[in-house]
Amino acid sequence: MILGVIADDFTGATDVASMLVRAGMHTVQVLGVPESGLPQADAVVIALKTRTSAPGDAVAQSLRALASLRAAGARQIYFKYCSTFDSTAQGNIGPVTDALMAALGTDFTIACPAFPENGRTVFRGHLFVGDVLLSDSGMRHHPLTPMTDSNLVRVLQAQTSHPVGLLRHDTIDGGATITQARMAQLRAEGLKIAVADALSNEHLMTLAEACAELPLLTAGSGVALGLPSAYARRGWFTPNANACDLDTLQGPAAVVSGSCSEATNAQVAQWLAAGRMALQVDPLALHSGQQTADTVLAQATQALAQGPVLVYATATPMSVRAVQQAIGVQAAGEQVEHALAHIAQGLVQAGVRRLVVAGGETSGAVVQALGVQQLRIGAAICPGVPWTQSTLAGSGEAVQLALKSGNFGGADFFAQALERAVVAL
Ligand code: ADP
């Protein structure tokens, strides 16, 4: 194994795996740290669900993942977080980075959530989502990790005991050698983590080349785009053009959506506007017992005969706030996640073989309910979201899952995914 990735949520894990596969690296994603050891692959991505855990728990799980990746011989470790730097005031990007650095005995790493193809760029340490600062984007309303400061040096500094510096875009413009020289300078100045700017794929490629031999990288999925070629240049592996092939499966299709992001709200609205079959999960009705996951599941299963069905809890920020005020942030999130996971499980039992899931936490809950332990990564539907294939624990049958991080995809993403319109990247 060349690269071992520790991802802080499930969709983030498929996102980074998709980047590696696209550049020809055979990549397997495992869900949690398997008891039985890791599979053979050029890269293994361990998907955790630690983004919003208590920092102590996130650190403990990340260190367990690190131990298994090191035992499997990983040459480099990559801590993958969201391209919008999703974290709570307590962490977990800082605490996990600190713990991984200590365990690896390294005194320098970078932090770079940039993913320019998806509109996430870092300029002078400030994160932009499209044309607006992170703090002006929809992320300021996120139900679990509202992001209200765009200055990543400041955000990260509040979460880590290590001094945080900045690796600027105009240095990276100078190429990998100049970037490495600047990193050495920052390190000599006593800085331990450098927030790295990136405005383009060229910046990501340069960063990957400059950082390919660091023991630890911390980033969104973007930096991974350049790693396979940086490894190939070092003669560590040969890229494989068929790294993303999956099987052709027969069976009904469905979408389960628990993300409340702007992008997902637009995707649900487009599905409804097209007059497609959809069922809404209402957190307040669930809470009062007026609605149950089983009644929604029964309706959804019946609807499958007419074509793909969408089951959604997706709602506007105003409606999410009202629900959270009524029953609490944590309770609302968990209740919806449990309901959607139960419905997804029932739909797969009813024969669904292609399932799109919108939302990072939601995907984590669905995948756990399905008992899926390992995902083969296929081609991308849009940047950051690949189709994946797994084997169901009981029946041994194959099922394909598209796990979409809330912010990703255009308004027609659901239909696009179900038509298997895989984009050539
Ligand atoms: P994203 O990828 O957009 O962050 P997630 O699934 O990670 O999406 O997070 C969305 C959270 O919001 C989940 O915990 C989900 O259960 C919760 N949620 C979904 N719908 C509602 C709603 N209508 N009211 C309150 N919370 C909701």
Side-chain angles (χ1 to χ4, degrees):
M1 188 198 309
I2 300 164
L3 183 65
V5 184
I6 303 167
D8 71 350
D9 90 337
F10 288 93
T11 50
T14 36
D15 175 8
V16 68
S18 177
M19 287 293 183
L20 297 168
V21 163
R22 167 179 162 186
M25 235 175 152
H26 176 55
T27 306
V28 178
Q29 177 177 334
V30 294
L31 308 178
V33 183
E35 298 288 330
S36 53
L38 295 174
Q40 289 288 326
D42 299 326
V44 172
V45 181
I46 299 185
L48 300 177
K49 194 173 182 301
T50 50
R51 185 168 295 168
T52 55
S53 314
D57 182 42
V59 164
Q61 287 195 48
S62 305
L63 288 176
R64 249 197 327 275
L66 174 67
S68 72
L69 292 168
R70 289 177 97 186
R75 287 189 188 213
Q76 184 170 49
I77 301 296
Y78 190 121
F79 171 36
K80 155 72 177 76
Y81 39 74
C82 189
S83 64
T84 39
F85 217 67
D86 300 17
S87 42
T88 64
Q90 291 74 39
N92 290 323
I93 296 176
V96 170
T97 301
D98 289 358
L100 294 176
M101 287 177 79
L104 286 162
T106 184
D107 67 352
F108 189 81
T109 188
I110 61 160
C112 182
F115 189 178
E117 280 177 12
N118 267 352
R120 276 50 154 177
T121 51
V122 181
F123 176 70
R124 292 178 174 248
H126 289 69
L127 179 55
F128 285 80
V129 177
D131 293 331
V132 300
L133 283 164
L134 174 68
S135 50
D136 291 326
S137 77
M139 278 305 297
R140 69 192 189 281
H141 298 304
H142 190 279
L144 305 174
T145 51
M147 298 301 290
T148 53
D149 187 358
S150 312
N151 181 335
L152 297 186
V153 175
R154 191 163 54 204
V155 172
L156 185 54
Q157 190 63 83
Q159 298 178 18
T160 170
S161 54
H162 292 314
V164 181
L166 174 63
L167 184 58
R168 254 176 34 193
H169 62 96
D170 42 1
T171 304
I172 301 164
D173 279 337
T177 309
I178 288 176
T179 302
Q180 279 172 335
R182 179 68 185 140
M183 291 194 301
Q185 206 178 3
L186 290 170
R187 194 177 195 157
E189 288 167 13
L191 295 163
K192 304 254 190 272
I193 309 173
V195 168
D197 279 357
L199 306 174
S200 62
N201 278 358
E202 287 68 41
H203 284 152
L204 295 176
M205 301 305 266
T206 303
L207 276 173
E209 176 60 31
C211 298
E213 292 176 46
L214 288 181
L216 176 69
L217 288 171
T218 88
S221 61
V223 175
L225 186 62
L227 285 176
S229 51
Y231 298 149
R233 273 193 291 277
R234 286 162 175 79
W236 294 353
F237 94 115
T238 308
N240 177 356
N242 302 325
C244 64
D245 289 352
L246 297 181
D247 303 333
T248 304
L249 299 188
Q250 301 298 329
V255 184
V256 168
S257 179
S259 157
C260 297
S261 68
E262 280 177 11
T264 309
N265 267 289
Q267 288 153 3
V268 169
Q270 173 126 342
W271 181 278
L272 297 176
R276 285 171 171 258
M277 185 65 66
L279 293 160
Q280 186 172 17
V281 169
D282 174 353
L284 293 179
L286 278 180
H287 190 70
S288 68
Q290 275 172 299
Q291 187 185 50
T292 67
D294 277 325
T295 50
V296 179
L297 171 60
Q299 289 167 319
T301 308
Q302 217 172 20
L304 280 177
Q306 280 113 58
V309 61
L310 163 69
V311 179
Y312 68 102
T314 304
T316 59
M318 206 168 72
S319 136
V320 170
R321 257 195 310 278
V323 169
Q324 291 179 333
Q325 270 160 14
I327 57 178
V329 175
Q330 201 74 17
E334 281 171 12
Q335 187 167 36
V336 173
E337 285 170 35
H338 285 152
L340 293 180
H342 179 76
I343 291 164
Q345 189 182 22
L347 288 172
V348 169
Q349 273 162 7
V352 164
R353 288 295 167 266
R354 279 176 301 139
L355 180 67
V356 179
V357 186
E361 297 292 329
T362 309
S363 294
V366 166
V367 157
Q368 268 170 357
L370 292 179
V372 163
Q373 312 216 306
Q374 204 166 304
L375 301 168
R376 251 167 69 199
I377 307 298
I381 301 156
C382 71
V385 193
W387 271 110
T388 70
Q389 185 168 321
S390 318
T391 306
L392 292 169
S395 62
E397 278 190 78
V399 62
Q400 288 178 352
L401 304 171
L403 307 173
K404 188 191 82 82
S405 164
N407 297 307
F408 285 0
D412 61 346
F413 176 84
F414 295 154
Q416 194 190 1
L418 296 180
E419 282 153 16
R420 306 192 54 130
V422 164
V423 289
L425 291 166

